[in-house]
Amino acid sequence: MTEAVLSTLAVSGGFNDPVFEAQGVFRALMDATARPGTLHDLPASVAPPAPLGPGSGAIAVSMCDPDTPVWLGDGADSEGVRAWLSFQCGAPVVQEPDKSTFAFVRAGAMPALNALALGTQEYPDRSTTLVVEVEALEGGPRLILEGPGIDGQRTVKPMGLPEDFAAQRSASRALFPRGVDIVLVAGLRMMALPRSTVVSHDNETEAG
Amino acid sequence: MSAATALGGDLATYNFAYLDEQTKRMIRRAILKAIAIPGYQVPFASREMPMPYGWGTGGVQVTASIIGPQDVLKVIDQGADDTTNAVSIRAFFQKVANVSVTTKTREASIIQTRHRIPEEKLQAGQVLVYQVPIPEPLRFLEPRETETRKMHALEEYGLMHVKLYEDIARHGHIATTYAYPVLVSGRYVMDPSPTPKFDNPKMDMSEALQLFGAGREKRIYAIPPHTKVVSLDFEDHPFEIQTFDEPCALCGAEGVYLDEVILDDRGGRMFVCSDTDHCESRRADGHRGRLSPDEAYAGHGKTEGEAVR
């Protein structure tokens, strides 16, 4: 009985139109990464099993495949999610976050950034992209962003990130070009904080 | 809409934009990492394309991975919309992706280019895709990939400055005129592809996203918008772009990059805009040059190129 329910969940809730929805989601990700902190809609119709959110699900189905080990943190992991990812993407789920190409987690359960794959100095691209489900992308504490893709400064107010998020990013920015690229998702809205972006609290003047 | 309808439905057909979905995902992941690490060359599993290496297979794969049905594509080859490479790549995407195409820079959402940046300032939301033959700026100084990779890792770019210095010692000035190395966002030295150094300043703090694809060498790299791009130079030999003695012979434009055209076997020549769209829109606006065929020019007595852009 349980197995039958799981398999139904696994095979439903993917893209209706895989080619064009994947392209739309990727373009949103590309524009978001090119302009860190800007808000973008993910034009997709996915319904992943709980607890994975629709935005995270859309990114997973668009970007993950058998070549991308996936790590699932608290708020993104369940038997249903594993079966769904396996059917929709064929992506292997790994236990160690530093072996993952993509990692999905809820903001409250975010792993330390240096527990993920940071890449190497020679191959900084061999790093984890961390997809974080936040409560909301607006209305939280102010964060100041600077760096490539930003004309001067940009202010963002994601809600529900750990208090030491800016400090972790600063420490991580010092390792550049190694680092973790972060995508914040709420529902089907998202913003990107690639490793090149310097994140600071409103009252700080520190630059990475 | 599917590629099958685009092709008439009854033929064996390709996926939208030619590449299969797994290849697109692999290239898309490389593009995202490239944007996150400006100037760093991300290795990717370049595919064989239905055109030879050297014809822009890297740029074509990048364009095929980002393009959607709503995009408007422009393709230029040395600035021109009407040369073989540009015409065939444009036709390729019309056929396999059924997208709208244009020759107007401002109407395009994706511009694939071989060796020029359009004269018209690019806008936010546009993507410039470069075709790159040799992505490694240090390759002619150090042939071993293991070594150049280590040099990038250690930010060890002294050799490049020695090369530019040797130019000065030998020629009295920096003799590199195309593929002039740049420093991206203060970290990676990057080859801007064989664009004339005239175009280097346009890469700096551009509104548009710039993506670079090298098919044979299997590398993708990127410059996000609003990113500092500095051409390498010395305090006493600052970077300079090419200048031209005369304006475009057809539209009278100054401050643009010109191609030399031989007219006869007695030394006759003219200089015309390499950016054909820029030249045509100027002529449509009534600008005339020295050799402009239009009658209107005869009455003017001098070129109208004074309107500096």
Side-chain angles (χ1 to χ4, degrees):
Chain A
M1 182 63 200
T2 322
E3 278 180 20
V5 172
L6 285 180
S7 60
T8 319
L9 279 176
V11 298
S12 61
F15 285 150
N16 293 326
D17 190 350
V19 173
F20 295 115
E21 288 190 71
Q23 190 270 339
V25 169
F26 164 71
R27 274 296 272 274
L29 271 174
M30 184 180 87
D31 291 343
T33 310
R35 294 176 174 78
T38 53
L39 297 180
H40 297 262
D41 289 314
L42 295 167
S45 57
V46 290
L52 196 67
S56 300
I59 292 171
V61 180
S62 304
M63 304 304 296
C64 299
D65 60 27
D67 294 339
T68 59
V70 167
W71 180 79
L72 299 171
D74 273 357
D77 195 6
S78 71
E79 281 300 313
V81 171
R82 285 163 187 254
W84 189 77
L85 282 178
S86 175
F87 178 81
Q88 304 289 346
C89 322
V93 175
V94 292
Q95 295 304 315
E96 307 89 346
D98 63 346
K99 298 275 194 298
S100 65
T101 307
F102 285 87
F104 297 88
V105 70
R106 182 148 293 174
M110 243 181 76
L113 292 183
N114 58 16
L116 299 156
L118 302 173
T120 63
Q121 202 69 15
E122 279 84 3
Y123 291 96
D125 55 304
R126 294 178 182 177
S127 56
T128 306
T129 300
L130 178 63
V131 181
V132 184
E133 289 275 352
V134 294
E135 291 165 42
L137 294 170
E138 289 161 301
R142 287 160 58 93
L143 294 173
I144 308 289
L145 310 182
E146 285 173 274
I150 301 167
D151 190 8
Q153 290 188 334
R154 184 169 286 138
T155 305
V156 295
K157 298 175 178 175
M159 202 189 277
L161 286 173
E163 282 193 8
D164 65 345
F165 181 74
Q168 279 203 54
R169 278 292 301 226
S170 297
S172 166
R173 188 65 176 74
L175 300 174
F176 189 87
R178 300 166 68 209
V180 173
D181 305 311
I182 297 176
V183 179
L184 304 182
V185 183
L188 280 172
R189 304 260 294 158
M190 52 88 56
M191 76 164 81
L193 299 172
R195 74 191 72 180
S196 57
T197 304
V198 179
V199 182
S200 53
H201 280 299
D202 199 6
N203 51 1
E204 283 179 6
T205 50
E206 163 194 68
Chain B
M1 184 189 61
S2 71
T5 30
L7 290 172
D10 52 349
L11 294 170
T13 182
Y14 297 102
N15 189 27
F16 176 79
Y18 187 77
L19 295 174
D20 61 277
E21 288 302 300
Q22 186 164 358
T23 298
K24 285 187 198 168
R25 274 193 298 273
M26 174 270 295
I27 295 174
R28 286 167 179 171
R29 291 192 295 262
I31 291 172
L32 292 184
K33 290 296 176 196
I35 298 171
I37 318 166
Y40 167 71
Q41 303 161 50
V42 183
F44 80 110
S46 178
R47 299 295 193 246
E48 281 203 36
M49 298 301 284
M51 62 190 78
Y53 285 137
W55 283 65
T57 54
V60 166
Q61 289 179 78
V62 169
T63 300
S65 302
I66 67 174
I67 203 164
Q70 74 291 345
D71 276 309
V72 180
L73 178 70
K74 172 183 162 83
V75 185
I76 51 175
D77 173 6
Q78 305 273 14
D81 293 279
D82 53 5
T83 46
T84 312
N85 196 223
V87 170
S88 29
I89 291 174
R90 199 161 55 230
F92 175 75
F93 280 110
Q94 276 179 294
K95 182 167 185 179
V96 301
N98 197 27
V99 290
S100 309
V101 296
T102 183
T103 59
K104 297 258 173 289
T105 300
R106 86 189 56 165
E107 288 172 6
S109 58
I110 300 174
I111 303 171
Q112 183 171 330
T113 176
R114 175 174 174 271
H115 310 354
R116 270 313 307 278
I117 300 175
E119 301 290 356
E120 188 174 328
K121 197 169 181 292
L122 298 179
Q123 308 296 315
Q126 289 185 311
V127 183
L128 187 59
V129 178
Y130 295 73
Q131 302 170 199
V132 182
I134 298 178
E136 178 51 73
L138 306 168
R139 182 59 70 235
F140 291 112
L141 307 172
E142 170 53 65
R144 287 169 296 180
E145 168 69 14
T146 47
E147 289 301 304
T148 52
R149 188 160 287 281
K150 189 148 279 171
M151 289 156 79
H152 283 295
L154 301 174
E155 216 173 336
E156 174 50 68
Y157 295 126
L159 200 56
M160 185 57 89
H161 279 101
V162 170
K163 191 258 179 194
L164 296 176
Y165 169 74
E166 284 180 349
D167 268 6
I168 296 170
R170 208 169 293 164
H171 307 286
H173 61 276
I174 298 177
T176 306
T177 53
Y178 66 95
Y180 192 104
V182 294
L183 183 66
V184 180
S185 195
R187 178 57 179 83
Y188 281 99
V189 165
M190 191 198 89
D191 185 330
S193 85
T195 50
K197 65 177 180 177
F198 180 90
D199 285 337
N200 275 20
K202 296 180 195 161
M203 309 177 85
D204 182 36
M205 303 307 268
S206 170
E207 289 280 343
L209 169 63
Q210 302 172 76
L211 301 176
F212 299 75
R216 179 182 47 211
E217 303 289 325
K218 301 175 174 56
R219 296 289 186 274
I220 287 172
Y221 50 105
I223 305 175
H226 302 293
T227 300
K228 198 88 198 115
V229 178
V230 180
S231 303
L232 300 181
D233 61 359
F234 298 99
E235 278 175 25
D236 52 345
H237 284 271
F239 173 76
E240 285 172 343
I241 60 172
Q242 291 100 334
T243 54
F244 297 88
D245 296 334
E246 50 185 285
C248 170
L250 295 180
C251 77
E254 290 178 337
V256 298
Y257 195 74
L258 301 178
D259 287 338
E260 183 179 5
V261 178
I262 306 291
L263 296 175
D264 52 36
D265 59 359
R266 297 187 301 279
R269 66 190 58 196
M270 67 173 184
F271 288 88
V272 293
C273 287
S274 112
D275 185 335
T276 52
D277 169 55
H278 183 71
C279 197
E280 278 164 20
S281 46
R282 275 181 57 84
R283 276 180 278 156
D285 291 344
H287 295 281
R288 295 290 177 265
R290 182 172 65 89
L291 293 175
S292 178
D294 199 293
E295 306 264 308
Y297 167 70
H300 278 259
K302 66 193 268 287
T303 58
E304 280 190 14
E306 270 73 42
V308 189
R309 24 176 279 113

